[in-house]
Amino acid sequence: MDTPRQVIEEILNLAVWAPSGDNCQPWRFEATDNKINIFNVPHKDQALYNFRQSGSLVAHGALVENILIIIFWLDIHVNSFVIIPRAVNGLDLQAIL
């Protein structure tokens, strides 16, 4: 049986296939044994069309959708999924598995 860390790595390896503008993937992950934190990284997407990080927020939405599809496919129970808006970076996400 996979360890929680291996499951999280599998989720993230599949989740990063989410589309983003210019394929810039404007996110950063921090993972523990049962938690994934996803942070917006504004300097990764400086395209003209990313006005006020709106393009990055759409990309994060695609990333979250990928994660939800993957955890459903892997039959993983999620205790919580929290979206925390922040003025500086625009968005932080947390999934507790």
Side-chain angles (χ1 to χ4, degrees), residues 1 21 26 35 42 49 54 76 81 96:
M1 182 170 181
K35 183 168 53 173
Y49 300 111
S54 59
I76 296 171
F81 209 105
I96 301 175

Side-chain angles (χ1 to χ4, degrees), residues 27-58:
W27 45 70
R28 176 179 61 84
F29 302 107
E30 289 179 2
T32 63
D33 287 338
N34 70 335
K35 183 168 53 173
I36 301 170
N37 290 312
I38 306 165
F39 300 94
N40 186 37
V41 183
H43 71 271
K44 281 189 162 185
D45 188 357
Q46 296 184 3
L48 175 65
Y49 300 111
N50 191 25
F51 182 70
R52 294 187 179 166
Q53 294 294 300
S54 59
S56 290
L57 294 178
V58 171

Side-chain angles (χ1 to χ4, degrees), residues 8-25:
I8 286 176
E9 287 176 10
E10 183 175 1
I11 290 169
L12 295 180
N13 285 334
L14 295 170
V16 297
W17 286 89
S20 61
D22 290 335
N23 199 29
C24 66
Q25 298 184 340

